[in-house]
């Protein structure tokens, strides 16, 4: 009696080799499609679906290389090209029977775009320059910073530290509404933060307010227009604060 263990086993080398040959050829050919698709879509990575009578082909690409090519049809769902593992030979054969239709669908998609931009004009209106607006904004901000830097130097001398804050409230129209050392709650809060005798920022409106001066970006022209008229009131409040403190020291006798 012959044991089944003595039965000859059919090798898979030939089928695997042919499968690898087909996958390599498809990878090279689909790579050309991927590069054309990347040029068309204007990016280094993406994916697109193409419908055929037999199913849907999905091509995903990155940096001009195919990430995967998938065929989903009736009773078939196979990754013809993948970075994971090669397809089964039977599933590959099913997909490859429709590969020409996939290429035809891609070509049809490209041809459908021919002339789509022919009527798009390239004569555009002139762009208005912001040179004058930016120059005026910089002029106003420069004057503000010159004043706040002078205030910062005085505060450093007066308070004797390396950094600090001066805050006051200013009503619309530029009238001082009380310094940070008073108890007035009317008007908008103006806050000057300084360090080493220089302006760190000038903010209006407290937390979440508008930064007129900062180390980052300048305010919008509309914000600057809204608050610049009140800046003299802020400076006046500072001067009143310093004058009041000076008067209090004059009353001290030694």
């Amino acid at each position: 009696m012959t044991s089944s263990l003595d039965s000859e086993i059919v090798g898979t080398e030939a089928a695997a080799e042919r499968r690898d040959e087909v996958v390599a050829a498809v990878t090279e050919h689909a790579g050309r499609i991927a590069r054309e698709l990347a040029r068309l879509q204007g990016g280094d990575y993406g994916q697109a679906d193409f419908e055929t009578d037999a199913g849907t082909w999905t091509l995903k690409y990155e940096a001009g290389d195919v990430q995967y090519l998938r065929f989903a049809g009736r009773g078939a769902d196979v990754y013809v090209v993948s970075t994971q593992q090669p397809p089964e030979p039977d599933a590959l054969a099913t997909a490859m029977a429709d590969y020409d239709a996939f290429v035809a669908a891609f070509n049809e998609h490209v041809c459908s775009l021919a002339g789509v931009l022919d009527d798009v004009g390239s004569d555009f209106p002139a762009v208005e320059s912001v040179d004058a607006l930016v120059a005026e904004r910089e002029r106003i901000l420069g004057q503000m910073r010159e004043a706040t830097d002078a205030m910062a130097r005085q505060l450093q001398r007066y308070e004797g530290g390396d950094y600090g804050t001066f805050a006051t409230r200013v009503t619309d129209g530029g009238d001082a509404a009380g310094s940070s050392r008073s108890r007035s709650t009317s008007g908008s809060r103006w806050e000057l933060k300084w360090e080493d005798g220089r302006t760190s920022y000038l903010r209006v409106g407290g937390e979440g307010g508008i930064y007129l001066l900062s180390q980052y970006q300048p305010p919008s022209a509309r914000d600057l227009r809204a608050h610049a008229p009140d800046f003299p009131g802020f400076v006046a409040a500072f001067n009143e604060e310093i004058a009041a403190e000076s008067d209090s020291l004059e009353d001290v006798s030694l």
Side-chain angles (χ1 to χ4, degrees):
M1 183 175 180
T2 303
S3 170
S4 60
L5 296 178
D6 296 329
S7 300
E8 183 177 354
I9 298 175
V10 178
T12 61
E13 289 85 357
E17 288 179 3
R18 179 56 185 157
R19 185 266 319 280
D20 292 344
E21 290 175 358
V22 172
V23 169
V26 172
T27 301
E28 191 278 331
H29 190 268
R32 290 160 54 192
I33 297 177
R35 288 187 287 275
E36 294 300 315
L37 192 59
R39 292 178 60 198
L40 181 62
Q41 295 187 344
D44 292 332
Y45 59 89
Q47 70 177 47
D49 295 331
F50 299 93
E51 302 290 338
T52 68
D53 292 339
T56 301
W57 289 80
T58 301
L59 174 63
K60 183 176 182 181
Y61 61 90
E62 183 173 352
D65 294 328
V66 178
Q67 293 297 293
Y68 67 74
L69 177 62
R70 177 185 177 187
F71 172 68
R74 292 183 292 273
D77 191 349
V78 53
Y79 285 86
V80 177
V81 178
S82 170
T83 58
Q84 303 301 319
Q85 63 183 33
E88 294 291 334
D90 287 346
L92 177 60
T94 300
M96 290 307 299
D98 193 58
Y99 186 77
D100 285 353
F102 156 62
V103 178
F106 170 77
N107 290 338
E108 182 179 353
H109 173 64
V110 174
C111 291
S112 70
L113 299 174
V116 70
L117 298 176
D118 288 352
D119 297 330
V120 177
S122 57
D123 295 328
F124 305 122
V127 177
E128 191 69 28
S129 173
V130 299
D131 288 350
L133 178 63
V134 170
E136 182 63 10
R137 180 179 64 188
E138 293 304 310
R139 183 189 69 81
I140 296 172
L141 292 177
Q143 291 182 344
M144 284 186 171
R145 186 173 292 277
E146 183 178 349
T148 56
D149 281 351
M151 294 164 64
R153 289 190 294 271
Q154 295 298 325
L155 288 166
Q156 184 179 35
R157 293 177 60 195
Y158 169 66
E159 297 189 358
D162 293 331
Y163 58 90
T165 301
F166 174 81
T168 188
R169 291 188 179 274
V170 179
T171 60
D172 293 340
D175 294 330
S179 73
S180 58
R181 294 174 175 80
S182 72
R183 297 183 180 180
S184 174
T185 58
S186 62
S188 299
R189 177 181 172 86
W190 286 64
E191 182 179 344
L192 168 63
K193 184 175 181 180
W194 55 272
E195 183 174 354
D196 292 331
R198 299 191 59 170
T199 303
S200 292
Y201 67 73
L202 176 63
R203 183 175 65 192
V204 182
E207 291 290 337
I210 303 299
Y211 286 84
L212 298 180
L213 298 173
S214 76
Q215 58 181 320
Y216 300 108
Q217 64 186 32
S220 69
R222 294 185 183 277
D223 286 338
L224 183 58
R225 176 68 182 87
H227 297 291
D230 297 336
F231 182 71
F234 173 66
V235 178
F238 170 81
N239 291 336
E240 292 173 5
E241 175 79 9
I242 297 300
E245 293 295 339
S246 297
D247 290 342
S248 67
L249 287 177
E250 290 179 359
D251 295 335
V252 178
S253 60
L254 299 178

